[in-house]
Amino acid sequence: MAKNKLSIILENIEPQERLKQIINFSNSIEVDPHVPPRRYYRSGLEMVRMANVYYDEGNYENAYCLYLKFMTLFLEKIREHPDFNSVPAEVKAANKAKLREVLPKAEKLKQKLLEIYKEDYNNYCVKLKQIEKEAEDRRKRNQLKRQDDSRQLPQGPPSEFVTAQIPSPIDGVYYPDTNSSGSGTIVPSAPDLPHPYESDISFPTIPSFDRSKKPSSTSLTDKYDTDVLRAVLVPSKVMPWFENLAQSNTNKNIETCGILAGKLEKNQLIITHMILPKQNGTADSCTTTNEEEIFDFQDQHNLITIGWIHTHPTQTAFLSSVDLHTHCPYQLLMPEAIAIVCAPKYQNTAFFNLTPNYGLQFISNCRKTGFHPHPTDPPLFKVADHVKIENAPLEVMDLRK
C-alpha cells in the first residue's frame, strides 16, 4: 500500500483500534437540509469515482474512507433530508445499483487494510525493541567508560576531592551529553527523530509511557485534518479562454459562469474541462439552467466537479454574499472546491474558498437570500492557497449554443 502521512503516523496503533478510527472518521458525515438532495446524489457518484482512483493507485486507506462515506450517506443519512421524497425514482435506483457494487468491494478492502495494519504494527514493535536495545547498549558502554575513567583518576588525599553523586537513570535508560566532556546527562527519552510530516522516513520514537502499557493513540480526525486539502491544478488557459467566451456578456455588463471539472490523480485534483452551461445572467448574478446537461456530460467523461468560475464585469475580484451562498454547496461536498473570479475591467483574477473553520459553517447556517450584508471579521472567505497554475491541457464545452 502506498503510504501517506496519515498511515505513517498511525503505525503505532493496534490494528483493530486503527481500523476503528478510520471507520469512525468516515462515518462522521452529516446531511445539510439546505443542500438539494440531487446534489448529494451527484456527489455520491463522484465520491465513488475518486475512491476507485485511490484504489487503482494503491492508496487503500483513502479509498476505504470514501467507500464508507458513500455507504453511510446513502444507507443512512440521506433519508434524513426533508426533500428526500422528491428525488426521482430512477436516480434512487441508480444509486442502489452503485451501492450493490461498492458494498462487497469495501468489505474486501477492510480485510486487506487489517492485514496491512497488522504488518505495520508488527514492524513498529520490532523497531521499538531495536531502539530500546540500542539505548541499553549505550547505557552499558557509558557505564563501562565511567568505570575506566574512575580507575585512571590520580590518587591523593581524600580531602582534595569531592565525589559527585550521579543521579539514577530515568526509566532505566541513560543517554550521554554529546556536547559536554563531563560524565553525561540523564534524559527520559530517546533523541528526537524526524517527524513524519517533515520526512519520508517512517521511524518510531520511544513513547514516554510505562513499558507494560499499550502505545497511546491520537485522534484520527485531529491527525487527518492537519493535512486535509489536496492541491488543485488549474490550467493556465482557464482564465483567458473563459474571459474570451464571456466577452459578449461582459460588454453588456452581464455576468457569465462556468463549471470546472476534472479528475483525481496522485492525490491532487486536476481541472481538465471547463463547461459553460445554459444560464441567465444579470449585472451582479448568474444562474445556471438545464443542469441535467451538465450531469450527462460529466458522466460521459467520468468527471469530478472541482469548482466554478464567473466574471465581475464592472467590479473587482471578490465573493459577494450571493457568491458565498453559491459556493457553499460546492465546498460542503468537496472541501477543495474553488471559486475563480475574473474582473476584466481591472485585469484581475483571484481564486477563493470559504474559510473552513468559520466561513463555511457561517454561510451554511445563513438563511438569507439575495444580496445581504455579512460580517467581515473574522473573514468568511480567503485566497485559495492550495491552487497550482500550470501549463496543462484543457477542454471546453459550451452548452449555451
Side-chain angles (χ1 to χ4, degrees):
M1 180 177 72
K3 288 189 178 182
N4 55 23
K5 295 173 182 177
L6 173 62
S7 63
I8 290 174
I9 58 180
L10 294 178
E11 287 179 345
N12 68 328
I13 300 177
E14 289 186 331
Q16 290 290 352
E17 176 61 25
R18 184 172 171 184
L19 187 65
K20 181 181 176 182
Q21 290 200 20
I22 290 284
I23 292 172
N24 289 342
F25 173 78
S26 303
N27 287 342
S28 60
I29 183 171
E30 298 298 332
V31 170
D32 188 328
H34 302 286
V35 175
R38 288 295 299 275
R39 289 214 179 191
Y40 279 108
Y41 278 89
R42 289 299 310 170
S43 177
L45 290 177
E46 297 181 3
M47 209 179 288
V48 174
R49 287 173 188 163
M50 289 192 290
N52 291 338
V53 171
Y54 277 131
Y55 185 88
D56 292 340
E57 292 181 343
N59 194 333
Y60 301 132
E61 219 163 44
N62 282 347
Y64 186 59
C65 282
L66 284 176
Y67 286 141
L68 283 183
K69 282 182 179 291
F70 176 77
M71 292 187 297
T72 301
L73 179 58
F74 293 105
L75 289 175
E76 304 174 26
K77 301 297 180 73
I78 196 64
R79 298 176 183 278
E80 301 171 4
H81 198 290
D83 297 327
F84 173 72
N85 291 330
S86 68
V87 179
E90 63 271 18
V91 173
K92 291 180 180 179
N95 180 264
K96 286 183 179 179
K98 188 63 68 175
L99 279 167
R100 286 194 294 270
E101 171 192 322
V102 167
L103 284 167
K105 199 168 186 177
E107 184 58 32
K108 289 180 181 178
L109 197 50
K110 175 182 176 181
Q111 298 306 317
K112 189 178 187 70
L113 280 175
L114 197 54
E115 292 173 5
I116 293 171
Y117 292 166
K118 287 177 180 178
E119 183 180 353
D120 284 348
Y121 186 72
N122 289 338
N123 290 337
Y124 167 81
C125 291
V126 169
K127 290 178 182 179
L128 187 60
K129 288 179 180 179
Q130 180 183 351
I131 291 175
E132 291 175 335
K133 183 179 182 300
E134 290 173 355
E136 177 64 17
D137 290 344
R138 283 197 298 269
R139 186 191 68 79
K140 290 178 179 179
R141 286 197 301 270
N142 282 285
Q143 187 177 30
L144 290 173
K145 185 177 184 298
R146 288 198 304 273
Q147 291 173 355
D148 291 342
D149 290 344
S150 65
R151 284 196 293 269
Q152 296 174 11
L153 289 174
Q155 300 298 317
S159 59
E160 295 180 10
F161 297 92
V162 177
T163 302
Q165 183 177 0
I166 300 175
S168 301
I170 299 177
D171 200 19
V173 182
Y174 178 87
Y175 297 97
D177 182 0
T178 56
N179 298 319
S180 170
S181 60
S183 61
T185 303
I186 305 299
V187 295
S189 60
D192 289 338
L193 295 170
H195 192 283
Y197 278 9
E198 300 169 355
S199 170
D200 291 334
I201 301 174
S202 174
F203 202 67
T205 57
I206 294 182
S208 56
F209 55 75
D210 189 321
R211 295 289 185 265
S212 64
K213 297 179 180 178
K214 299 177 182 178
S216 60
S217 63
T218 303
S219 166
L220 172 65
T221 304
D222 293 342
K223 289 180 175 180
Y224 189 83
D225 284 348
T226 59
D227 195 45
V228 69
L229 288 185
R230 295 160 291 195
V232 172
L233 190 155
V234 180
S236 56
K237 301 170 185 175
V238 166
M239 289 69 71
W241 284 13
F242 180 71
E243 288 191 26
N244 183 56
L245 290 166
Q247 189 62 57
S248 60
N249 278 347
T250 301
N251 293 338
K252 302 172 189 174
N253 192 27
I254 296 175
E255 282 194 8
T256 307
C257 64
I259 305 299
L260 303 172
K263 61 183 179 179
L264 172 68
E265 187 175 283
K266 296 180 180 177
N267 209 35
Q268 69 174 357
L269 295 159
I270 304 172
I271 294 173
T272 59
H273 290 72
M274 180 167 60
I275 308 166
L276 276 70
K278 291 183 174 63
Q279 54 194 271
N280 296 319
T282 68
D284 49 23
S285 68
C286 186
T287 305
T288 62
T289 60
N290 294 70
E291 287 191 329
E292 288 300 328
E293 287 185 326
I294 306 172
F295 299 156
D296 290 343
F297 180 82
Q298 289 187 237
D299 288 343
Q300 291 168 14
H301 294 81
N302 206 28
L303 299 174
I304 298 166
T305 304
I306 301 175
W308 64 299
I309 183 170
H310 72 291
T311 55
H312 280 182
T314 60
Q315 302 182 79
T316 57
F318 69 100
L319 292 183
S320 68
S321 59
V322 171
D323 295 338
L324 292 171
H325 283 268
T326 299
H327 184 68
C328 187
Y330 286 96
Q331 197 169 327
L332 282 172
L333 299 175
M334 168 76 76
E336 293 86 356
I338 60 171
I340 303 179
V341 183
C342 299
K345 180 179 179 180
Y346 295 89
Q347 297 183 335
N348 181 32
T349 298
F351 307 81
F352 298 116
N353 63 336
L354 294 169
T355 52
N357 297 326
Y358 179 71
L360 187 60
Q361 189 64 43
F362 182 92
I363 296 298
S364 65
N365 290 333
C366 179
R367 303 280 79 89
K368 295 179 181 178
T369 59
F371 289 95
H372 54 276
H374 287 137
T376 57
D377 188 26
L380 295 174
F381 66 95
K382 66 181 183 69
V383 172
D385 52 12
H386 60 296
V387 169
K388 295 194 299 183
I389 302 175
E390 296 186 9
N391 184 21
L394 176 71
E395 293 188 34
V396 176
M397 172 55 68
D398 192 343
L399 299 175
R400 299 175 301 171
K401 298 177 181 178

